[in-house]
Amino acid sequence: MVNSEYERRIAARFTTFDQDGNGHIDRSDFSGAAKALLAEFGVAARSDRGQALYGGAEALWQGLAGIADRDGDQRITREEFVTAAVKRLRDKPDRFAEIARPFLHAALAVAGPGDGTVTVADTARALTVFGVPGDVARSVAAALDADGDGTVGETEIVPAFARWFTVPE
Ligand code: CA
Ligand code: CA
Ligand code: CA
């Protein structure tokens, strides 16, 4: 039962994680997102950067499952996501940041030149790969560049991702 504005917003996050849209979040949503990002930026799955991205995606899945998959069936339903994830993460954005950091670190290496940053334009491109509509992706990418230097780095994207997940905008 979704009974608050906050929980309704968290339920919308579910749609983002359910990358293949089959109604639950599982490992394949994360490996699929990694595969799509590698394809978009022309990085081989067997390369170091490709393997790091798959490793980060697996860590993100394991971390999220550890929090939200209460019945342990390797699937996170919408209800599990809303009830468990909301209640356990609401006051712990730092914890979610650490769960997401390896994936985000690896994604920056895939989408950028390898110095830990990605241009705002390529950040928008990456968000589009994950299903964010183009106009939204462009405004989100611009907002992620908190210091306005034209690129997005780990210190900008990790806390932003944690806030997006844990705090209502
Ligand atoms: Ca899914
Ligand atoms: Ca479950
Ligand atoms: Ca920046």
Side-chain angles (χ1 to χ4, degrees):
M1 183 73 181
V2 176
N3 56 12
S4 74
E5 177 65 14
Y6 180 72
E7 290 186 359
R8 196 184 63 74
R9 286 177 176 173
I10 290 289
R13 311 287 196 265
F14 178 90
T15 307
T16 302
F17 282 102
D18 181 17
Q19 285 276 311
D20 63 9
N22 68 350
H24 58 259
I25 300 168
D26 67 20
R27 177 177 277 110
S28 66
D29 291 309
F30 293 84
S31 59
K35 184 178 179 182
L37 191 70
L38 292 175
E40 174 67 21
F41 289 93
V43 175
R46 291 184 182 175
S47 66
D48 288 347
R49 286 187 298 159
Q51 289 300 298
L53 188 66
Y54 277 112
E58 172 67 14
L60 181 52
W61 156 246
Q62 291 286 346
L64 195 60
I67 291 163
D69 181 20
R70 289 188 299 174
D71 65 4
D73 69 350
Q74 299 294 304
R75 292 179 172 188
I76 300 169
T77 63
R78 185 178 296 267
E79 188 191 0
E80 283 179 325
F81 186 82
V82 172
T83 58
V86 167
K87 287 180 174 61
R88 296 184 60 183
L89 282 172
R90 175 156 43 195
D91 302 319
K92 296 185 177 71
D94 291 349
R95 180 173 168 199
F96 192 70
E98 293 318 308
I99 289 169
R101 186 183 298 279
F103 177 74
L104 295 172
H105 180 88
L108 290 170
V110 166
D115 64 354
T117 68
V118 178
T119 64
V120 169
D122 279 341
T123 301
R125 203 173 137 201
L127 291 169
T128 306
V129 171
F130 299 142
V132 179
D135 52 340
V136 177
R138 280 188 292 277
S139 63
V140 169
L144 282 170
D145 177 20
D147 64 7
D149 70 350
T151 67
V152 174
E154 191 168 326
T155 58
E156 291 169 324
I157 200 169
V158 170
F161 190 74
R163 273 199 308 279
W164 168 78
F165 187 75
T166 57
V167 180
E169 355 0 85

